[in-house]
């Protein structure tokens, strides 16, 4: 009953930790001026990105903008990071393109709600802590692959062509073929100019909002020159009232896979972004479960306003931190400023060329690729390099969820291989000082002590069995278990099988230093009870060896072995002469 009460209390405490506390807002007044300035800076950077990712997803510029406002505000209030900035991201846009083409805007919003529910469930079950186990090569390969996908997806608007609904690579080839047949250089010049300005500006002065300035300049030039370029078009000047007409419960079953993909990507990207924010600062530490909860609520609410699925945005979060943000007020200010921009600047934003936003996203994709980190991983080990390149290739050629799954699976297999090779079964020398010289020589020939070291689990079990059974001309085997770090059911089964096989050959097995946590799976297999009844379980190896010698004496084998040793010396006995 006490254990049940403790478990219930733990669950209640975990549930309470998912909601904001007074400590989250006690220091808002201390840094309000730097937070307001950082929020304004992030909003200026986020405006072209929100519009661009909305269009890139196939849902339109307004979907990206309203998502930055609603999801950005909710995640800022409820999330587990004080510095996280949330909104539409390139990763989400990549996933949503085929979904929007097959299920329309209503299907995407329904998927957003389903993914939000899944994120809340993950938060309630404490799954956030497992995100740190995603290997770095998977993250690097995935990020670089997403960057390539974003850049390829921007080819149609950069060339002044409609978006392609075909496969990524085939659609890009069709766009290039259509452009070659009937080139329109104005959109390409706009996209190239904006991308070049952003990349050069970020190198010269990182604090200047180069993306916004480049988009403003491109809009002004194309409007003055009456260039033949497609523009965003009319945007609403008010935040719409919540509306639930898109809810279609009958359509949910066929959208489960897409919702799982959105949930996984949101969790991975948000927790990765929050971790990066912690690493940039000194005194910030995010709560992963609360971050999942905040992102889940944001994705639950945003679709009712016409928004798209969202997550933590790594680039905007980094800008937030580098702009001096110290608390949640900065990310909340970012959402409020974007709302004011939409209310006041909608008529001007409607003239922004789509090619200019394509240039923003192309520049963003180039900046997403950390060349130094990728080269370091490529030079580190063959396994890390293989995981990174395979994840990158899978991201470009497959969908993003499969890419992460393939990368994690390969990394896991390689890690299991390394761990299994670290398991050793080595003969333990018996100290001559503990016995007379002639007894020590006898023990060396007929009592063998083996030290098991490392994890004894399914990946190493077969190798362990082969090593352990490769013994000959012994009467007793002492297994020293104190250095076994972990043991799963497979390892316990193989160990039990090895003990039975040795016993069947007439070799008595003694165990020493067995940890209680490792004794449990062996006891479940019924292997410990006989050993305990026969007095073969000991805390120390020396005690096990002494008990083995006593057993040999009691069975009369010691004198017989001494006689055989005296008779044959060190030579090997024949099978017929062996008792």
């Amino acid at each position: 009953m006490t254990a049940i009460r403790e478990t219930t209390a733990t669950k209640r405490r975990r549930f309470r930790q998912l909601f904001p506390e007074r400590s989250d807002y006690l220091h808002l007044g201390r840094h309000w001026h730097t937070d307001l300035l950082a929020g304004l800076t992030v909003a200026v950077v986020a405006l072209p990105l929100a519009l661009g990712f909305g269009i890139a997803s196939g849902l339109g510029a307004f979907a990206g903008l309203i998502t930055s406002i609603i999801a950005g505000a909710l995640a800022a209030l409820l999330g587990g990071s004080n510095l996280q900035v949330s909104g539409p991201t390139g990763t989400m846009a990549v996933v949503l393109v085929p979904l929007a083409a097959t299920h329309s805007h209503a299907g995407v919003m329904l998927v957003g709600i389903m993914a939000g529910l899944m994120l809340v469930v993950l938060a309630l079950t404490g799954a956030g802590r497992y995100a740190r186990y995603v290997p770095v090569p998977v993250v690097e390969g995935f990020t670089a692959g997403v960057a390539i996908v974003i850049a390829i997806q921007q080819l149609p608007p950069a060339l002044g062509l409609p978006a392609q609904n075909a496969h990524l690579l085939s659609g890009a080839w069709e766009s290039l073929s259509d452009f070659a047949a009937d080139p329109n250089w104005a959109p390409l010049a706009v996209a190239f100019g904006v991308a070049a300005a952003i990349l050069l500006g970020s190198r010269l002065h990182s604090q200047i909002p180069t993306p916004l300035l480049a988009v403003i300049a491109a809009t002004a030039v194309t409007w003055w020159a009456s260039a033949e370029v497609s523009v965003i078009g009319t945007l609403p000047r008010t935040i719409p009232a919540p509306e639930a007409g898109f809810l279609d419960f009958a359509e949910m079953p066929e959208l489960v896979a897409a919702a799982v993909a959105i949930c996984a990507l949101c969790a991975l990207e948000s927790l990765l972004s929050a971790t990066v924010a912690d690493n940039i600062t000194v005194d910030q530490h995010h709560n992963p479960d609360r971050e999942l909860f905040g992102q889940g609520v944001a994705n639950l609410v945003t679709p009712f306003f016409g928004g798209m699925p969202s997550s933590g945005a790594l680039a905007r979060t980094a800008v937030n931190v580098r702009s001096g943000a110290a608390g949640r007020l900065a990310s909340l200010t970012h959402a409020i400023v974007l709302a004011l921009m939409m209310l006041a600047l909608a008529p001007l934003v409607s003239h922004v060329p789509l090619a200019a936003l394509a240039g923003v996203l192309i520049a963003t994709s180039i900046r997403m690729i950390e060349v130094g980190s990728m080269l370091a991983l490529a030079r580190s080990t063959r396994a890390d390099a293989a995981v990174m390149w395979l994840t990158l290739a899978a991201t470009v050629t497959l969908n993003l969820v499969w890419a992460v799954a393939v990368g994690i699976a390969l990394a896991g297999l390689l890690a299991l291989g390394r761990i299994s090779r670290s398991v050793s079964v080595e003969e333990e020398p018996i100290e001559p000082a503990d016995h007379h010289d002639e007894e020590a020589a006898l023990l060396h020939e007929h009592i063998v002590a083996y030290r098991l070291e490392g994890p004894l689990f399914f990946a190493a079990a077969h190798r362990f069995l082969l090593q352990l059974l490769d013994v000959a001309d012994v009467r007793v085997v002492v297994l020293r278990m104190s250095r076994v770090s972990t043991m799963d059911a497979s390892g316990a089964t193989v160990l039990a099988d090895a003990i039975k096989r040795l016993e069947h050959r007439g070799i008595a097995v003694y165990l020493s230093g067995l940890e209680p946590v490792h004794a449990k799976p062996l006891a479940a297999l019924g292997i410990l009870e006989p050993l305990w009844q026969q007095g073969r379980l000991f805390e120390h190896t020396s005690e096990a060896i002494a008990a083995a010698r006593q057993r040999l004496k009691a069975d009369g084998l010691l004198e017989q072995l001494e006689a055989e040793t005296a008779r044959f010396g060190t030579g090997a006995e024949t099978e017929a002469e062996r008792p």
Side-chain angles (χ1 to χ4, degrees), residues 244-568:
F246 63 90
L247 290 176
D248 184 2
F249 297 103
E251 194 178 3
M252 282 187 173
E254 61 180 285
L255 294 176
V256 170
V260 171
I262 296 297
C263 172
L265 289 175
C266 178
L268 179 65
E269 194 167 19
S270 299
L271 295 178
L272 173 64
S273 177
T275 301
V276 171
D278 290 347
N279 294 338
I280 296 176
T281 58
V282 177
D283 57 348
Q284 295 286 345
H285 301 284
H286 74 282
N287 181 329
D289 292 324
R290 186 175 163 190
E291 181 62 27
L292 292 181
F293 181 78
Q295 296 295 339
V297 173
N299 279 285
L300 273 172
V301 175
T302 303
F304 291 100
F305 293 87
M308 57 189 281
S310 65
S311 69
L314 181 56
R316 275 156 278 176
T317 299
V319 171
N320 190 40
V321 175
R322 294 191 179 108
S323 300
R328 298 170 181 271
L329 183 60
S331 50
L332 184 60
T333 300
H334 139 268
I336 295 173
V337 171
L338 282 177
L340 296 175
M341 286 181 175
M342 185 184 74
L343 298 176
L345 303 177
L348 297 178
V349 172
S350 63
H351 296 288
V352 173
L354 297 179
L357 297 180
V360 172
L361 297 185
I362 290 172
T364 301
S365 65
I366 294 174
R367 296 173 65 183
M368 284 175 64
I369 300 176
E370 296 289 343
V371 178
S373 299
M374 294 184 68
L375 290 177
L377 283 173
R379 290 193 297 263
S380 58
T381 65
R382 293 181 181 177
D384 290 336
V387 170
M388 180 182 67
W389 293 121
L390 182 63
T391 306
L392 190 156
T395 304
V396 176
T397 57
L398 306 174
N399 65 62
L400 303 190
V401 176
W402 274 108
V404 175
V406 167
I408 292 178
L410 178 61
L413 289 174
L414 293 174
L416 288 177
R418 289 194 295 267
I419 294 173
S420 65
R421 288 192 295 271
S422 69
V423 179
S424 61
V425 183
E426 299 179 359
E427 185 174 347
E428 185 84 345
I430 299 174
E431 294 295 335
D434 295 338
H435 312 280
H436 298 296
D437 291 342
E438 62 274 12
E439 292 176 339
L442 185 65
L443 287 173
H444 273 301
E445 291 187 12
H446 302 288
I447 299 179
V448 176
Y450 281 101
R451 182 181 70 249
L452 278 65
E453 191 164 351
L456 185 58
F457 70 133
F458 69 94
H462 182 68
R463 179 170 171 263
F464 156 78
L465 178 64
L466 294 178
Q467 287 185 260
L468 187 57
L469 293 180
D470 189 22
V471 295
D473 197 23
V474 296
R475 306 296 184 191
V476 176
V477 170
V478 179
L479 299 181
R480 181 180 176 182
M481 308 289 293
S482 59
R483 296 188 183 181
V484 174
S485 58
T486 186
M487 182 188 301
D488 67 355
S490 299
T493 302
V494 169
L495 179 59
D497 185 40
I499 292 174
K500 291 177 181 178
R501 293 192 187 191
L502 291 172
E503 296 277 358
H504 183 71
R505 290 167 52 185
I507 301 174
V509 178
Y510 288 68
L511 299 185
S512 69
L514 183 64
E515 297 291 337
V517 67
H518 302 150
K520 186 175 180 180
L522 288 174
L525 294 172
I527 199 67
L528 286 189
E529 186 66 24
L531 293 178
W532 176 259
Q533 292 177 353
Q534 297 169 18
R536 299 188 191 176
L537 294 178
F538 296 91
E539 184 177 357
H540 302 291
T541 305
S542 58
E543 298 173 349
I545 293 174
R549 296 187 67 251
Q550 291 296 327
R551 172 189 171 85
L552 292 179
K553 283 185 177 181
D555 292 345
L557 294 176
L558 188 58
E559 292 80 2
Q560 186 177 359
L561 292 171
E562 288 175 342
E564 289 181 0
T565 302
R567 179 181 176 184
F568 295 103

Side-chain angles (χ1 to χ4, degrees), residues 36-327:
L36 288 176
L37 182 59
L40 177 61
T41 303
V42 176
V44 170
V45 173
L47 178 61
L49 292 175
L51 298 172
F53 286 135
I55 294 174
S57 68
L59 303 178
F62 175 75
L65 188 56
I66 198 66
T67 301
S68 291
I69 296 170
I70 304 297
L74 289 173
L77 292 172
L78 302 176
S81 171
N82 291 327
L83 305 174
Q84 180 89 282
V85 177
S86 301
T89 64
T91 309
M92 286 296 175
V94 169
V95 176
L96 295 178
V97 169
L99 187 63
T102 55
H103 289 86
S104 74
H105 196 162
V108 173
M109 293 190 291
L110 187 58
V111 166
I113 290 180
M114 296 168 64
L117 286 171
M118 293 177 185
L119 287 167
V120 171
V121 171
L122 288 178
L124 292 173
T125 56
R129 61 183 178 273
Y130 296 111
R132 61 178 176 267
Y133 297 120
V134 178
V136 172
V138 174
V139 175
E140 290 290 344
F142 177 74
T143 303
V146 168
I148 294 173
V149 171
I150 293 173
I152 294 175
Q153 284 184 342
Q154 300 317 302
L155 275 178
L159 299 174
L161 299 170
Q164 295 282 354
N165 293 328
H167 184 268
L168 179 71
L169 299 179
S170 61
W173 178 255
E174 290 180 15
S175 296
L176 291 173
S177 301
D178 293 343
F179 179 80
D182 185 17
N184 181 6
W185 297 103
L188 184 60
V190 170
F192 179 82
V194 169
I198 293 173
L199 294 175
L200 291 175
S202 63
R203 288 180 173 272
L204 297 176
H205 202 302
S206 60
Q207 297 300 321
I208 297 177
T210 312
L212 183 63
L213 295 179
V215 170
I216 292 174
T219 303
V221 170
T222 54
W223 178 79
W224 176 78
S226 300
E228 295 183 8
V229 294
S230 301
V231 297
I232 290 178
T234 305
L235 289 176
R237 297 189 61 178
T238 59
I239 295 178
E243 188 263 333
F246 63 90
L247 290 176
D248 184 2
F249 297 103
E251 194 178 3
M252 282 187 173
E254 61 180 285
L255 294 176
V256 170
V260 171
I262 296 297
C263 172
L265 289 175
C266 178
L268 179 65
E269 194 167 19
S270 299
L271 295 178
L272 173 64
S273 177
T275 301
V276 171
D278 290 347
N279 294 338
I280 296 176
T281 58
V282 177
D283 57 348
Q284 295 286 345
H285 301 284
H286 74 282
N287 181 329
D289 292 324
R290 186 175 163 190
E291 181 62 27
L292 292 181
F293 181 78
Q295 296 295 339
V297 173
N299 279 285
L300 273 172
V301 175
T302 303
F304 291 100
F305 293 87
M308 57 189 281
S310 65
S311 69
L314 181 56
R316 275 156 278 176
T317 299
V319 171
N320 190 40
V321 175
R322 294 191 179 108
S323 300

